[in-house]
Coordinates of all heavy atoms in Angstrom, one line a residue:
M1 N -6.1 4.7 15.4 CA -6.9 3.5 15.1 C -6.1 2.3 15.2 O -5.0 2.2 14.6 CB -7.5 3.7 13.7 CG -8.2 2.5 13.2 SD -8.8 2.8 11.5 CE -10.1 1.6 11.4
L2 N -6.6 1.4 16.0 CA -5.9 0.1 16.2 C -6.4 -0.9 15.2 O -7.6 -1.0 14.9 CB -6.2 -0.4 17.6 CG -5.5 -1.7 18.0 CD1 -4.0 -1.5 18.0 CD2 -5.9 -2.1 19.4
L3 N -5.5 -1.6 14.5 CA -5.8 -2.6 13.5 C -6.0 -4.0 14.2 O -5.1 -4.5 14.8 CB -4.8 -2.8 12.5 CG -4.5 -1.5 11.6 CD1 -3.4 -1.8 10.6 CD2 -5.8 -1.1 10.9
S4 N -7.3 -4.5 14.2 CA -7.6 -5.8 14.8 C -7.0 -6.9 13.9 O -6.7 -6.7 12.7 CB -9.1 -5.9 15.0 OG -9.7 -6.0 13.7
E5 N -6.9 -8.0 14.5 CA -6.5 -9.2 13.7 C -7.5 -9.5 12.6 O -7.0 -9.9 11.5 CB -6.4 -10.4 14.7 CG -6.0 -11.7 14.0 CD -5.9 -12.9 15.0 OE1 -6.3 -12.7 16.2 OE2 -5.5 -14.0 14.5
E6 N -8.7 -9.2 12.8 CA -9.8 -9.5 11.8 C -9.6 -8.5 10.6 O -9.6 -8.9 9.4 CB -11.2 -9.3 12.4 CG -11.6 -10.4 13.3 CD -11.0 -10.3 14.7 OE1 -10.6 -9.2 15.1 OE2 -11.1 -11.2 15.5
L7 N -9.3 -7.2 10.9 CA -9.1 -6.2 9.9 C -7.8 -6.5 9.1 O -7.8 -6.4 7.8 CB -9.0 -4.8 10.5 CG -9.0 -3.7 9.5 CD1 -10.2 -3.7 8.5 CD2 -8.9 -2.4 10.2
V8 N -6.8 -6.9 9.7 CA -5.5 -7.3 9.0 C -5.8 -8.5 8.1 O -5.3 -8.5 7.0 CB -4.4 -7.6 10.0 CG1 -3.2 -8.2 9.4 CG2 -4.0 -6.3 10.8
A9 N -6.6 -9.5 8.6 CA -6.9 -10.6 7.7 C -7.7 -10.2 6.5 O -7.5 -10.8 5.4 CB -7.7 -11.7 8.6
E10 N -8.6 -9.3 6.7 CA -9.4 -8.8 5.5 C -8.5 -8.1 4.5 O -8.6 -8.3 3.3 CB -10.5 -7.9 6.0 CG -11.6 -8.6 6.8 CD -12.6 -7.7 7.4 OE1 -12.8 -6.5 6.9 OE2 -13.3 -8.1 8.4
I11 N -7.5 -7.3 5.0 CA -6.6 -6.6 4.1 C -5.7 -7.7 3.4 O -5.5 -7.6 2.1 CB -5.7 -5.6 4.9 CG1 -6.6 -4.5 5.4 CG2 -4.6 -5.1 4.0 CD1 -5.9 -3.5 6.4
K12 N -5.3 -8.7 4.1 CA -4.5 -9.7 3.5 C -5.3 -10.4 2.4 O -4.8 -10.8 1.3 CB -4.0 -10.7 4.5 CG -2.9 -10.2 5.4 CD -2.5 -11.3 6.4 CE -1.3 -10.8 7.3 NZ -0.9 -11.9 8.2
F13 N -6.6 -10.7 2.7 CA -7.4 -11.4 1.8 C -7.6 -10.6 0.5 O -7.5 -11.1 -0.6 CB -8.8 -11.7 2.4 CG -9.6 -12.6 1.6 CD1 -9.5 -14.0 1.7 CD2 -10.5 -12.1 0.6 CE1 -10.3 -14.9 0.9 CE2 -11.3 -13.0 -0.2 CZ -11.2 -14.4 0.0
L14 N -7.8 -9.3 0.6 CA -8.0 -8.4 -0.5 C -6.7 -8.3 -1.3 O -6.7 -8.1 -2.6 CB -8.4 -7.0 -0.1 CG -9.8 -6.9 0.5 CD1 -10.0 -5.5 1.1 CD2 -10.8 -7.1 -0.7
S15 N -5.6 -8.5 -0.7 CA -4.3 -8.5 -1.4 C -4.1 -9.7 -2.3 O -3.2 -9.7 -3.1 CB -3.1 -8.3 -0.4 OG -2.8 -9.5 0.3
L16 N -4.9 -10.7 -2.1 CA -4.7 -12.0 -2.9 C -5.3 -11.8 -4.3 O -5.0 -12.6 -5.2 CB -5.4 -13.1 -2.2 CG -4.9 -13.5 -0.8 CD1 -5.7 -14.6 -0.2 CD2 -3.4 -14.0 -0.9
F17 N -6.2 -10.9 -4.5 CA -6.8 -10.7 -5.8 C -5.9 -10.1 -6.8 O -5.2 -9.2 -6.6 CB -8.1 -9.9 -5.7 CG -9.2 -10.6 -5.0 CD1 -9.4 -10.6 -3.6 CD2 -10.1 -11.3 -5.8 CE1 -10.4 -11.2 -3.0 CE2 -11.2 -12.0 -5.2 CZ -11.3 -12.0 -3.8
N18 N -6.0 -10.7 -8.0 CA -5.2 -10.2 -9.2 C -6.1 -9.1 -9.8 O -7.1 -9.4 -10.5 CB -4.9 -11.3 -10.2 CG -4.2 -10.8 -11.4 OD1 -3.9 -9.6 -11.5 ND2 -4.0 -11.7 -12.4
L19 N -5.7 -7.9 -9.6 CA -6.5 -6.8 -10.2 C -6.4 -6.6 -11.7 O -7.1 -5.8 -12.3 CB -6.2 -5.5 -9.4 CG -6.5 -5.5 -7.9 CD1 -6.1 -4.2 -7.2 CD2 -8.0 -5.8 -7.7
E20 N -5.4 -7.3 -12.3 CA -5.3 -7.2 -13.7 C -6.4 -8.0 -14.5 O -6.6 -7.7 -15.6 CB -3.9 -7.8 -14.1 CG -2.7 -7.0 -13.5 CD -2.6 -5.6 -14.0 OE1 -2.9 -5.4 -15.2 OE2 -2.3 -4.7 -13.2
S21 N -7.1 -8.9 -13.7 CA -8.1 -9.7 -14.4 C -9.3 -9.8 -13.4 O -9.2 -10.5 -12.4 CB -7.6 -11.0 -14.7 OG -8.7 -11.9 -15.2
V22 N -10.4 -9.1 -13.7 CA -11.6 -9.2 -12.8 C -12.2 -10.6 -12.9 O -13.1 -10.9 -12.1 CB -12.6 -8.1 -13.1 CG1 -12.0 -6.7 -12.7 CG2 -13.1 -8.1 -14.5
Q23 N -11.8 -11.4 -13.9 CA -12.4 -12.7 -14.1 C -11.7 -13.7 -13.3 O -12.0 -14.9 -13.4 CB -12.4 -13.1 -15.5 CG -13.3 -12.2 -16.4 CD -13.3 -12.5 -17.8 OE1 -12.5 -13.3 -18.3 NE2 -14.1 -11.9 -18.6
E24 N -10.7 -13.3 -12.5 CA -9.9 -14.2 -11.6 C -10.4 -14.0 -10.2 O -10.2 -12.9 -9.6 CB -8.4 -13.9 -11.8 CG -7.5 -15.0 -11.2 CD -6.1 -14.7 -11.6 OE1 -5.8 -14.2 -12.7 OE2 -5.2 -14.9 -10.7
G25 N -10.9 -15.0 -9.6 CA -11.4 -14.9 -8.2 C -10.5 -15.6 -7.2 O -9.4 -16.2 -7.6
V26 N -10.9 -15.7 -6.0 CA -10.2 -16.3 -4.9 C -11.2 -17.2 -4.1 O -12.3 -16.7 -3.8 CB -9.5 -15.3 -4.0 CG1 -8.9 -16.0 -2.8 CG2 -8.5 -14.5 -4.7
K27 N -10.9 -18.4 -3.9 CA -11.8 -19.3 -3.1 C -11.0 -19.8 -1.9 O -9.9 -20.2 -2.0 CB -12.2 -20.5 -4.0 CG -13.0 -21.5 -3.2 CD -13.8 -22.4 -4.1 CE -14.5 -23.5 -3.3 NZ -15.6 -23.0 -2.5
V28 N -11.7 -19.7 -0.8 CA -11.2 -20.2 0.5 C -11.8 -21.6 0.7 O -13.0 -21.7 0.8 CB -11.5 -19.2 1.6 CG1 -11.0 -19.8 3.0 CG2 -11.0 -17.8 1.4
H29 N -10.9 -22.6 0.9 CA -11.4 -23.9 1.1 C -11.8 -24.1 2.6 O -11.3 -23.4 3.5 CB -10.3 -24.9 0.7 CG -10.1 -24.9 -0.8 ND1 -10.9 -25.5 -1.7 CD2 -9.2 -24.3 -1.5 CE1 -10.5 -25.3 -2.9 NE2 -9.4 -24.5 -2.8
G30 N -12.6 -25.0 2.9 CA -13.1 -25.3 4.2 C -12.0 -25.6 5.2 O -12.1 -25.5 6.4
N31 N -10.9 -26.1 4.7 CA -9.8 -26.5 5.6 C -8.7 -25.4 5.7 O -7.6 -25.7 6.3 CB -9.1 -27.8 5.2 CG -8.5 -27.7 3.8 OD1 -8.7 -26.8 3.0 ND2 -7.7 -28.8 3.4
A32 N -9.0 -24.3 5.2 CA -8.1 -23.1 5.3 C -8.0 -22.6 6.8 O -8.8 -23.0 7.6 CB -8.5 -22.0 4.4
D33 N -7.1 -21.7 7.0 CA -7.0 -21.0 8.3 C -8.3 -20.4 8.7 O -8.9 -19.6 7.9 CB -5.9 -20.0 8.2 CG -5.6 -19.3 9.5 OD1 -6.4 -19.3 10.4 OD2 -4.5 -18.7 9.6
P34 N -8.8 -20.6 9.9 CA -10.1 -20.1 10.3 C -10.1 -18.5 10.2 O -11.2 -17.9 9.9 CB -10.3 -20.5 11.7 CG -9.5 -21.8 11.8 CD -8.3 -21.6 10.9
I35 N -9.0 -17.9 10.4 CA -9.0 -16.4 10.3 C -9.3 -16.0 8.8 O -10.0 -15.0 8.6 CB -7.6 -15.9 10.8 CG1 -7.5 -16.1 12.3 CG2 -7.4 -14.4 10.4 CD1 -6.2 -15.8 12.9
L36 N -8.7 -16.7 7.9 CA -8.9 -16.4 6.4 C -10.4 -16.7 6.1 O -11.0 -15.9 5.3 CB -8.0 -17.3 5.6 CG -7.9 -16.9 4.1 CD1 -7.5 -15.5 3.9 CD2 -7.0 -17.9 3.4
I37 N -10.9 -17.8 6.6 CA -12.4 -18.1 6.3 C -13.2 -17.0 6.9 O -14.2 -16.6 6.2 CB -12.7 -19.5 7.0 CG1 -12.0 -20.6 6.3 CG2 -14.2 -19.7 6.9 CD1 -12.1 -22.0 7.0
G38 N -12.9 -16.5 8.1 CA -13.7 -15.5 8.7 C -13.6 -14.2 7.9 O -14.6 -13.4 7.7
A39 N -12.4 -13.9 7.4 CA -12.2 -12.7 6.6 C -13.0 -12.7 5.3 O -13.7 -11.7 5.0 CB -10.7 -12.5 6.2
A40 N -13.1 -13.8 4.6 CA -13.9 -14.0 3.4 C -15.4 -13.7 3.8 O -16.1 -13.0 3.0 CB -13.7 -15.4 2.8
Q41 N -15.8 -14.3 4.8 CA -17.2 -14.1 5.2 C -17.6 -12.7 5.5 O -18.6 -12.1 5.1 CB -17.6 -15.0 6.4 CG -19.0 -14.9 6.9 CD -20.0 -15.4 5.8 OE1 -19.9 -16.5 5.4 NE2 -21.0 -14.5 5.5
R42 N -16.7 -12.0 6.3 CA -16.9 -10.6 6.6 C -16.9 -9.7 5.3 O -17.7 -8.8 5.2 CB -15.9 -10.1 7.6 CG -16.1 -10.7 9.0 CD -15.2 -10.0 10.0 NE -13.8 -10.2 9.7 CZ -13.0 -11.2 10.0 NH1 -13.6 -12.3 10.6 NH2 -11.7 -11.3 9.7
L43 N -16.0 -10.0 4.4 CA -15.9 -9.2 3.2 C -17.2 -9.5 2.4 O -17.7 -8.5 1.7 CB -14.7 -9.6 2.4 CG -13.3 -9.1 3.0 CD1 -12.2 -9.7 2.2 CD2 -13.3 -7.6 3.1
F44 N -17.7 -10.7 2.4 CA -19.0 -10.9 1.7 C -20.1 -10.2 2.4 O -20.9 -9.5 1.7 CB -19.3 -12.5 1.8 CG -20.6 -12.8 1.2 CD1 -20.9 -12.7 -0.1 CD2 -21.6 -13.2 2.1 CE1 -22.2 -13.1 -0.6 CE2 -22.9 -13.5 1.6 CZ -23.2 -13.5 0.2
D45 N -20.1 -10.2 3.7 CA -21.2 -9.4 4.4 C -21.1 -7.9 4.2 O -22.1 -7.3 4.2 CB -21.0 -9.7 6.0 CG -21.3 -11.1 6.4 OD1 -21.9 -11.9 5.6 OD2 -20.9 -11.5 7.5
K46 N -19.9 -7.4 3.9 CA -19.7 -6.0 3.6 C -20.0 -5.7 2.1 O -19.9 -4.5 1.7 CB -18.3 -5.6 3.9 CG -18.1 -5.6 5.4 CD -16.6 -5.3 5.8 CE -16.4 -5.5 7.3 NZ -15.0 -5.2 7.7
G47 N -20.3 -6.7 1.3 CA -20.5 -6.5 -0.1 C -19.3 -6.3 -1.0 O -19.4 -5.7 -2.1
L48 N -18.1 -6.8 -0.5 CA -16.9 -6.6 -1.3 C -16.5 -7.8 -2.2 O -15.8 -7.7 -3.1 CB -15.7 -6.3 -0.3 CG -15.9 -5.1 0.5 CD1 -14.7 -4.9 1.4 CD2 -16.1 -3.8 -0.3
V49 N -17.1 -9.0 -1.8 CA -16.9 -10.2 -2.6 C -18.2 -10.8 -2.9 O -19.2 -10.6 -2.2 CB -15.9 -11.2 -2.0 CG1 -14.5 -10.6 -1.9 CG2 -16.4 -11.7 -0.6
T50 N -18.3 -11.7 -3.9 CA -19.6 -12.2 -4.4 C -20.0 -13.5 -3.6 O -21.2 -13.8 -3.7 CB -19.5 -12.6 -5.9 OG1 -18.5 -13.5 -6.1 CG2 -19.3 -11.3 -6.7
Q51 N -19.1 -14.2 -2.9 CA -19.5 -15.4 -2.3 C -18.9 -15.4 -0.8 O -17.9 -14.7 -0.6 CB -18.9 -16.6 -3.0 CG -19.3 -16.8 -4.4 CD -20.8 -17.2 -4.5 OE1 -21.2 -18.0 -3.7 NE2 -21.5 -16.6 -5.5
H52 N -19.5 -16.2 0.0 CA -19.1 -16.2 1.5 C -17.7 -16.8 1.6 O -17.0 -16.6 2.6 CB -20.1 -16.9 2.3 CG -20.1 -18.4 2.1 ND1 -19.4 -19.3 2.8 CD2 -20.8 -19.1 1.1 CE1 -19.6 -20.5 2.3 NE2 -20.4 -20.4 1.3
D53 N -17.3 -17.5 0.6 CA -15.9 -18.1 0.6 C -15.0 -17.5 -0.4 O -14.0 -18.0 -0.8 CB -16.0 -19.6 0.4 CG -16.6 -20.0 -1.0 OD1 -17.1 -19.1 -1.7 OD2 -16.6 -21.2 -1.3
G54 N -15.3 -16.2 -0.8 CA -14.4 -15.5 -1.7 C -15.1 -15.1 -3.0 O -16.0 -14.2 -3.0
G55 N -14.9 -15.9 -4.0 CA -15.5 -15.6 -5.3 C -14.8 -14.4 -6.0 O -13.5 -14.4 -6.0
Y56 N -15.5 -13.5 -6.5 CA -15.0 -12.4 -7.3 C -15.2 -11.1 -6.5 O -16.1 -11.0 -5.6 CB -15.7 -12.3 -8.6 CG -15.5 -13.5 -9.5 CD1 -16.5 -14.5 -9.5 CD2 -14.3 -13.7 -10.2 CE1 -16.3 -15.7 -10.3 CE2 -14.1 -14.9 -10.9 CZ -15.1 -15.8 -11.0 OH -14.9 -17.0 -11.7
L57 N -14.4 -10.1 -6.8 CA -14.6 -8.8 -6.2 C -15.9 -8.1 -6.8 O -16.1 -8.2 -8.0 CB -13.4 -7.9 -6.4 CG -12.2 -8.3 -5.7 CD1 -11.0 -7.5 -6.2 CD2 -12.3 -8.1 -4.2
T58 N -16.7 -7.5 -6.0 CA -17.7 -6.6 -6.5 C -17.1 -5.3 -7.0 O -15.9 -5.1 -6.8 CB -18.8 -6.3 -5.4 OG1 -18.1 -5.6 -4.4 CG2 -19.4 -7.6 -4.8
D59 N -17.9 -4.4 -7.5 CA -17.4 -3.1 -7.9 C -16.7 -2.4 -6.8 O -15.6 -1.8 -6.9 CB -18.4 -2.2 -8.6 CG -18.9 -2.7 -10.0 OD1 -18.1 -3.5 -10.6 OD2 -20.0 -2.4 -10.4
L60 N -17.4 -2.4 -5.6 CA -16.9 -1.8 -4.4 C -15.6 -2.5 -4.0 O -14.6 -1.9 -3.6 CB -17.9 -1.8 -3.3 CG -17.5 -1.1 -2.0 CD1 -17.0 0.3 -2.2 CD2 -18.6 -1.2 -1.0
G61 N -15.6 -3.8 -4.1 CA -14.5 -4.6 -3.7 C -13.3 -4.3 -4.5 O -12.1 -4.3 -4.0
I62 N -13.5 -4.1 -5.8 CA -12.3 -3.7 -6.7 C -11.7 -2.4 -6.2 O -10.5 -2.3 -6.1 CB -12.8 -3.6 -8.1 CG1 -13.2 -5.0 -8.7 CG2 -11.7 -3.0 -9.0 CD1 -13.9 -5.0 -10.0
E63 N -12.6 -1.5 -5.9 CA -12.1 -0.2 -5.4 C -11.3 -0.3 -4.1 O -10.2 0.2 -4.0 CB -13.2 0.8 -5.3 CG -12.8 2.2 -4.9 CD -14.0 3.1 -4.7 OE1 -15.1 2.9 -5.3 OE2 -13.8 4.2 -4.1
V64 N -11.8 -1.0 -3.2 CA -11.2 -1.2 -1.9 C -9.9 -2.0 -2.1 O -8.9 -1.7 -1.5 CB -12.1 -1.9 -0.9 CG1 -11.4 -2.3 0.4 CG2 -13.3 -1.0 -0.6
A65 N -9.9 -3.1 -2.9 CA -8.7 -3.9 -3.1 C -7.6 -3.0 -3.8 O -6.4 -3.2 -3.4 CB -9.0 -5.1 -3.9
E66 N -8.0 -2.2 -4.7 CA -7.0 -1.3 -5.3 C -6.3 -0.4 -4.3 O -5.1 -0.3 -4.3 CB -7.6 -0.4 -6.4 CG -8.0 -1.1 -7.6 CD -8.8 -0.3 -8.6 OE1 -9.4 0.8 -8.2 OE2 -8.9 -0.7 -9.8
H67 N -7.1 0.2 -3.4 CA -6.5 1.0 -2.3 C -5.6 0.2 -1.4 O -4.5 0.6 -1.0 CB -7.6 1.7 -1.5 CG -8.3 2.8 -2.3 ND1 -7.7 4.0 -2.7 CD2 -9.6 2.9 -2.8 CE1 -8.5 4.8 -3.3 NE2 -9.7 4.1 -3.4
A68 N -6.1 -1.0 -1.0 CA -5.3 -1.8 -0.1 C -4.0 -2.2 -0.7 O -3.0 -2.2 -0.1 CB -6.2 -3.0 0.3
Q69 N -4.1 -2.6 -2.0 CA -2.9 -3.1 -2.6 C -1.9 -1.9 -2.9 O -0.7 -2.1 -2.7 CB -3.2 -3.8 -3.9 CG -3.9 -5.2 -3.6 CD -4.1 -6.0 -4.9 OE1 -3.5 -5.8 -5.9 NE2 -5.0 -7.0 -4.7
R70 N -2.4 -0.8 -3.2 CA -1.5 0.4 -3.3 C -0.9 0.7 -2.0 O 0.3 1.0 -1.9 CB -2.3 1.6 -3.8 CG -2.3 1.8 -5.3 CD -2.8 3.1 -5.7 NE -3.8 2.8 -6.8 CZ -5.0 3.2 -6.8 NH1 -5.5 4.0 -5.9 NH2 -5.8 2.9 -7.8
M71 N -1.6 0.7 -0.9 CA -1.1 1.0 0.4 C 0.0 0.0 0.8 O 1.1 0.4 1.2 CB -2.2 0.9 1.5 CG -1.7 1.0 2.9 SD -2.9 0.5 4.2 CE -3.0 -1.3 3.9
L72 N -0.2 -1.3 0.5 CA 0.8 -2.3 0.8 C 2.1 -2.1 0.0 O 3.2 -2.2 0.5 CB 0.2 -3.7 0.6 CG -0.8 -4.1 1.6 CD1 -1.5 -5.4 1.2 CD2 -0.3 -4.2 3.0
T73 N 1.9 -1.7 -1.3 CA 3.0 -1.5 -2.1 C 3.9 -0.3 -1.6 O 5.1 -0.4 -1.6 CB 2.6 -1.2 -3.6 OG1 1.9 -2.3 -4.1 CG2 3.7 -0.9 -4.5
I74 N 3.2 0.7 -1.2 CA 3.9 1.9 -0.7 C 4.6 1.6 0.6 O 5.8 1.9 0.8 CB 3.0 3.1 -0.5 CG1 2.5 3.6 -1.9 CG2 3.6 4.2 0.3 CD1 1.3 4.5 -1.8
L75 N 4.0 0.9 1.5 CA 4.5 0.6 2.8 C 5.7 -0.4 2.7 O 6.6 -0.4 3.5 CB 3.4 0.1 3.8 CG 2.4 1.1 4.2 CD1 1.3 0.5 5.0 CD2 3.1 2.3 4.9
Q76 N 5.6 -1.3 1.7 CA 6.7 -2.3 1.6 C 7.9 -1.8 0.8 O 8.9 -2.5 0.7 CB 6.1 -3.6 0.9 CG 5.1 -4.3 1.9 CD 4.4 -5.4 1.2 OE1 4.4 -5.5 0.0 NE2 3.8 -6.2 2.0
S77 N 7.8 -0.6 0.2 CA 8.9 -0.1 -0.6 C 10.0 0.5 0.3 O 9.7 0.8 1.5 CB 8.4 0.9 -1.6 OG 8.0 2.1 -0.9
N78 N 11.2 0.6 -0.2 CA 12.3 1.1 0.6 C 12.4 2.6 0.5 O 12.4 3.4 -0.1 CB 13.6 0.4 0.3 CG 13.6 -1.0 0.6 OD1 12.9 -1.4 1.6 ND2 14.2 -1.9 -0.1

């Protein structure tokens, strides 16, 4: 499976969320990198975040973000 630039951006976006507090969201401003803006929209379209520009993780989004963040932690360890 080849990881597209879009998929990598979505994983990066999910890694921005603080999973210790579900009341802490992420907002993408209009002047942000277009790749990040697109990632937020795609995650919204997939039902993982509450707003097209980020917002909060949905229940499914929390689950996916947990897996993504665990994967990154494992891959980044020595």
Side-chain angles (χ1 to χ4, degrees):
M1 174 181 202
L2 183 62
L3 296 178
S4 67
E5 182 179 2
E6 290 82 12
L7 186 56
V8 170
E10 292 173 22
I11 293 169
K12 285 182 181 180
F13 191 87
L14 289 170
S15 74
L16 298 175
F17 285 90
N18 177 4
L19 297 176
E20 298 296 320
S21 173
V22 294
Q23 296 179 354
E24 193 173 321
V26 173
K27 175 161 176 66
V28 177
H29 295 280
N31 61 347
D33 184 338
I35 292 173
L36 189 60
I37 293 171
Q41 180 65 53
R42 288 189 303 278
L43 292 172
F44 174 71
D45 293 342
K46 294 174 183 178
L48 300 180
V49 295
T50 59
Q51 300 291 321
H52 70 93
D53 60 353
Y56 300 97
L57 291 167
T58 63
D59 289 341
L60 179 60
I62 291 169
E63 184 178 343
V64 173
E66 286 172 345
H67 288 292
Q69 290 185 20
R70 267 192 229 126
M71 175 194 68
L72 291 171
T73 298
I74 291 167
L75 293 176
Q76 292 172 346
S77 67
N78 292 329

